[in-house]
Amino acid sequence: MIKICDLEVSQVFLFKEQSHLGRCNVVYKDHAVEFHELSDTQRNAFMKDVARVAKAIANAYNPTKINYGAYADTISHLHMHIVPKYKDGYGFGGVFEMNPQKVMLSDAEYTDVINKIKNGL
């Protein structure tokens, strides 16, 4: 992943694998494993960061739908996958693959994606 920026209670990373253009991961800054470990204030601040990133992706790329995933069987740190899905695009209508290794970008393309997302934040 490539770090995009810090937000109020999280860090935002761009996945290098971009089968879903704009796919990011929002990672809670403090140590937590489960949502239920957070206070209402902490949880609300984290979800505000998640929504903020999703809105930036939506504005930059106009996906048909944004999927959210909090998968972490082997990673002991709270994070949320933000996966933009595009009609007629890879995996539309199904559960996204974690790392299909289908689309890698050039350095210039990664920079462009990061800048578009940052500009929306």
Side-chain angles (χ1 to χ4, degrees), residues 3 5-7 9-13 25-29 49:
K3 186 174 179 182
C5 66
D6 289 304
L7 296 178
V9 297
S10 63
Q11 296 179 317
V12 183
F13 295 89
N25 202 348
V26 180
V27 180
Y28 191 65
K29 283 182 186 175
D49 284 356

Side-chain angles (χ1 to χ4, degrees), residues 54-66:
K55 184 176 182 178
I57 292 168
N59 288 337
Y61 292 104
N62 196 33
T64 306
K65 179 73 173 92
I66 294 179

Side-chain angles (χ1 to χ4, degrees), residues 15 20 30-31 39 45 52-54 65 73 78 88 96 108 121:
F15 269 82
H20 306 285
D30 294 330
H31 182 69
S39 69
R52 187 174 167 194
V53 174
K65 179 73 173 92
D73 292 344
L78 185 61
D88 300 324
F96 76 96
L121 295 171

